[in-house]
């Protein structure tokens, strides 16, 4: 079921850990080289910049290839012919991704990721053209329009299962957002369906993850679980999911329009109950991704509480929230530092890993590329009339010959 063998990914995980330990000084250069030789890995990787460039160029080449084929061979084809063309190219794109992984041994290289993502897009385009021809996708309830996002969601899950791309679950979650609109026109029912689907996915991931706690797949399940927790929270937080948070914030109006009173206040209670549950889950598993989502959910609950209750907002509310967050962060850091060895129950505020340094370097480099002239010194004006030397005094009353 997996495109990469378990031994290759375990070796890759071990190499990443060795690189991390060597960067922190836990291993000497000789120890690192000797242990790296004991963990051979045939997967080919690249840095994040080249990965993004290869992804972009592969997408451009794919779009150009499909467009050129359509113009040359299907200039006046009907929608059925276009659907067949899209579905064929979807199969070709997926087969190319499989070939890039199995033969070229590419791993997070950008090329195979773009081919897999392109196969999902072409599948959705082909499904739409096949089912609805020249008509737009029907948005009325009880229509067949849900088949397009359903196909995208299912194929995205297969891409995640097959290749392990960490963003594939996010793509499936985005496709799921379109499903309830084809089944019901009730906004409350739509939010309930989305939350139920995310909760079902969360239960499935949690059940499977327990069998891969200390393997290379734990990281994949960690990201998927964190995304599902975040999606579940956003689905039940009505001021955020309504898309008009800032309008509710400044006008003082509640986001209760179109929602039954019982459903509205139930979601308000859930916005206060869900963040502690997420934080407890992250603390139990010592999962940084889930902990981060729990902290984000708790912050969003504080932000949206006044819009939920319809209370008057003030301009100093963000300042008070920022001061509260700073105080909580400093308090937790001091509490952890006061423990024996600056740790408490396996948690510490000290930096034990250098893995996040790569992302810091990437952010700094991206910022430098976005503003290449920000740190450039201004040219100094020329002063051709100023010449030094030849004075009569050397300072302190001495002559220039002193």
């Amino acid at each position: 079921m997996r495109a990469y063998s378990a031994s290759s990914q375990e070796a890759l995980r071990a190499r990443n850990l060795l690189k991390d330990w060597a960067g922190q000084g836990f291993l000497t250069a000789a120890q690192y080289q000797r242990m790296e030789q004991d963990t051979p890995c045939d997967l080919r990787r690249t840095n994040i910049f080249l990965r993004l460039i290869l992804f972009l160029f592969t997408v451009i080449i794919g779009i150009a290839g499909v467009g050129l084929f359509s113009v040359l061979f299907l200039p006046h084809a009907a929608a059925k012919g276009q659907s067949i063309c899209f579905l064929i190219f979807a199969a070709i794109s997926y087969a190319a991704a499989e070939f890039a992984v199995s033969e070229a041994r590419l791993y997070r290289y950008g090329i195979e990721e773009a081919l897999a993502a392109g196969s999902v897009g072409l599948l959705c385009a082909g499904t739409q053209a096949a089912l609805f021809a020249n008509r737009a996708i029907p948005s009325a309830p009880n229509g067949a329009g849900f088949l397009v996002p359903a196909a995208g969601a299912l194929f995205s899950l297969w891409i995640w299962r097959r290749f392990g791309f960490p963003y594939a679950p996010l793509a499936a979650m985005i496709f799921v957002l379109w499903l309830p609109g084809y089944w019901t026109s009730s906004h409350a029912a739509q939010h309930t369906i989305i939350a139920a689907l995310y909760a079902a996915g969360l239960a499935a991931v949690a059940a499977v993850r327990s069998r891969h706690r200390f393997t290379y797949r734990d990281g994949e399940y960690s990201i998927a679980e964190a995304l599902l927790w975040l999606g579940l929270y956003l689905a039940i937080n009505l001021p955020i999911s309504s898309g008009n948070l800032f309008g509710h914030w400044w006008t003082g109006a509640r986001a209760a329009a179109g929602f039954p009173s019982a459903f509205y206040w139930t979601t308000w209670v859930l916005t206060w109950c869900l963040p502690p549950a997420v934080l407890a889950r992250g603390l139990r598993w010592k999962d940084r991704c889930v902990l981060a989502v729990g902290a984000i959910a708790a912050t969003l609950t504080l932000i949206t509480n006044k819009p939920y209750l319809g209370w008057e907002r003030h301009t100093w509310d963000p300042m008070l929230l920022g001061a509260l967050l700073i105080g909580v962060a400093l308090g937790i850091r001091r509490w952890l530092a006061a423990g024996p060895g600056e740790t408490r129950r396996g948690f510490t505020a000290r930096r034990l890993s250098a893995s996040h340094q790569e992302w810091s370097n990437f952010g700094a480099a991206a910022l430098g590329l976005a503003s290449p002239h920000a740190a450039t010194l201004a040219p100094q004006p020329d002063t051709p009339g100023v010449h030094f030397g030849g004075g009569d005094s050397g300072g302190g009353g001495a002559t220039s010959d002193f």
Side-chain angles (χ1 to χ4, degrees):
M1 294 293 289
R2 300 283 294 186
Y4 303 100
S5 64
S7 59
S8 297
Q9 292 202 281
E10 285 290 358
L12 182 61
R13 176 172 175 264
R15 284 199 165 198
N16 290 334
L17 291 174
L18 290 176
K19 183 180 178 181
D20 196 10
W21 296 340
Q24 287 299 108
F26 299 146
L27 298 175
T28 63
Q31 290 174 329
Y32 172 73
Q33 293 177 359
R34 184 169 61 253
M35 297 177 72
E36 187 181 29
Q37 293 175 358
D38 295 336
T39 55
C41 182
D42 60 343
L43 299 179
R44 300 171 59 184
R45 296 183 296 166
T46 186
N47 59 70
I48 185 64
F49 292 103
L50 187 57
R51 180 182 173 184
L52 293 174
I53 292 174
L54 290 175
F55 183 93
L56 179 61
F57 273 92
T58 305
V59 170
I60 294 175
I61 292 173
I63 294 175
V66 175
L68 181 62
F69 183 87
S70 300
V71 171
L72 293 180
F73 301 101
L74 301 172
H76 304 291
K80 294 295 183 181
Q82 294 178 355
S83 67
I84 295 175
C85 174
F86 288 147
L87 293 176
I88 291 175
F89 272 102
I92 293 174
S93 181
Y94 179 78
E98 290 278 359
F99 180 83
V101 170
S102 61
E103 299 299 328
R105 306 303 294 162
L106 300 184
Y107 183 86
R108 307 298 187 266
Y109 213 82
I111 297 176
E112 81 284 4
E113 298 174 282
L115 292 171
S119 65
V120 177
L122 289 170
L123 174 64
C124 293
T127 304
Q128 177 183 350
L131 294 178
F132 307 107
N134 295 324
R135 298 178 291 110
I137 299 179
S139 58
N142 302 323
F146 75 94
L147 293 176
V148 176
L154 292 176
F155 198 50
S156 296
L157 291 177
W158 168 253
I159 293 294
W160 176 61
R161 181 71 177 85
R162 180 66 175 164
F163 300 102
F165 298 149
Y167 44 80
L170 178 61
M173 292 171 62
I174 294 175
F175 280 117
V176 166
L177 292 176
W178 298 94
L179 291 176
Y182 300 107
W183 297 336
T184 178
S185 58
S186 171
H187 294 294
Q190 291 177 7
H191 284 263
T192 303
I193 292 173
I194 293 174
L197 291 175
Y198 287 169
L202 185 61
V205 170
V208 176
R209 185 184 178 185
S210 60
R211 302 196 299 265
H212 304 276
R213 178 69 186 275
F214 299 105
T215 66
Y216 66 94
R217 299 189 62 180
D218 185 64
E220 299 176 6
Y221 288 118
S222 172
I223 297 175
E225 182 178 346
L227 290 173
L228 286 168
W229 277 118
L230 182 60
L232 178 61
Y233 175 82
L234 295 178
I236 63 175
N237 194 314
L238 300 183
I240 294 179
S241 56
S242 63
N244 192 25
L245 174 60
F246 293 103
H248 295 311
W249 179 274
W250 293 113
T251 60
R254 293 192 307 183
F259 299 102
S261 178
F263 177 81
Y264 182 84
W265 292 113
T266 301
T267 59
W268 176 73
V269 173
L270 290 176
T271 57
W272 283 96
C273 296
L274 196 59
V278 180
L279 290 173
R281 170 73 174 178
L283 290 172
R284 179 184 177 185
W285 281 72
K286 293 182 174 61
D287 191 323
R288 177 175 293 183
C289 294
V290 177
L291 280 173
V293 169
I296 293 173
T299 304
L300 291 177
T301 296
L302 295 176
I303 293 175
T304 58
N305 185 57
K306 280 192 172 183
Y308 247 117
L309 301 176
W311 289 355
E312 180 183 1
R313 264 74 80 189
H314 305 284
T315 55
W316 60 80
D317 287 342
M319 180 183 65
L320 296 178
L321 177 61
L324 174 64
L325 296 178
I326 293 174
V328 171
L330 292 177
I332 294 176
R333 185 178 182 86
R334 290 176 62 88
W335 179 72
L336 292 174
E342 299 185 16
T343 61
R344 288 183 184 270
R345 298 184 179 180
F347 291 92
T348 181
R350 292 186 293 111
R351 188 181 69 179
L352 299 179
S353 172
S355 58
H356 69 281
Q357 189 64 31
E358 297 181 1
W359 292 103
S360 300
N361 296 337
F362 170 71
L367 182 60
L369 291 175
S371 55
H373 304 292
T376 303
L377 296 177
Q380 299 296 325
D382 296 333
T383 54
V386 177
H387 300 281
F388 296 97
D392 294 333
S393 174
T399 63
S400 61
D401 296 334
F402 178 72

